Amino acid sequence: MAKYLILIYEDEASWANAGPEDYERAMKEHTAFGENNRDVLRGGEALHPGSMGTSIRKDASGDFVVTDGAFFETKEGLGGYYLIEVDDLDQAIAVAKQVPAPYGGVEVRPVMVFS
C-alpha cells in the first residue's frame, strides 16, 4: 500500500462569491466522497483561503521574511486535501476523480517514505 495526497485547488474568488446553496452542495458532495472512500481515507481537511496564510522565506542574508498571505500569484489556491492509502497510482487517480472541486481541480502526489 502507498500513501497519496490529493490536493484540492480551486478558484478562491468563485468560492467568495458562492451562495449558501453552493456551500451546502459542496458539503454534501464531500460527505458522500468520504463515505464512498472510507476504506482508503487516512485524513483530510479544508483550508482557509490563501489570504489567511502566512509565508515564511529566508532572504539572501539568511534572515526570515514573514509575509501575510499566500506566496503564490495564481488564480487557484490550495483549498484542502485528502490523504489516502491505496495500492498504486491508478487507484489514487480513480479516487481523486471523485473529489468534488467545482471551481478547479485536484492534484495527486505520492507521499515520500523515509524509513
Side-chain angles (χ1 to χ4, degrees):
M1 299 291 274
K3 289 184 180 175
Y4 292 86
L5 202 58
I6 301 172
L7 304 167
I8 305 167
Y9 291 98
E10 294 191 279
D11 180 358
E12 292 183 350
S14 293
W15 276 116
N17 296 320
E21 65 281 353
D22 297 310
Y23 286 103
E24 185 177 322
R25 182 178 60 251
M27 292 307 299
K28 286 181 181 177
E29 290 175 353
H30 281 281
T31 298
F33 170 81
E35 291 170 355
N36 293 336
N37 293 282
R38 72 173 63 104
D39 292 341
V40 299
L41 280 178
R42 300 297 176 259
E45 298 290 342
L47 301 173
H48 285 283
S51 61
M52 295 186 69
T54 302
S55 295
I56 304 161
R57 302 235 180 232
K58 278 191 178 181
D59 64 15
S61 67
D63 290 331
F64 289 97
V65 177
V66 179
T67 308
D68 289 339
F71 183 74
F72 59 86
E73 294 288 332
T74 182
K75 182 178 178 181
E76 293 180 343
L78 179 61
Y81 66 90
Y82 287 108
L83 177 63
I84 61 172
E85 191 169 12
V86 293
D87 289 333
D88 55 30
L89 179 59
D90 290 335
Q91 285 185 336
I93 291 170
V95 173
K97 287 179 178 179
Q98 301 171 50
V99 173
Y103 300 117
V106 301
E107 174 186 354
V108 175
R109 196 178 297 184
V111 174
M112 290 179 124
V113 178
F114 291 103
S115 58

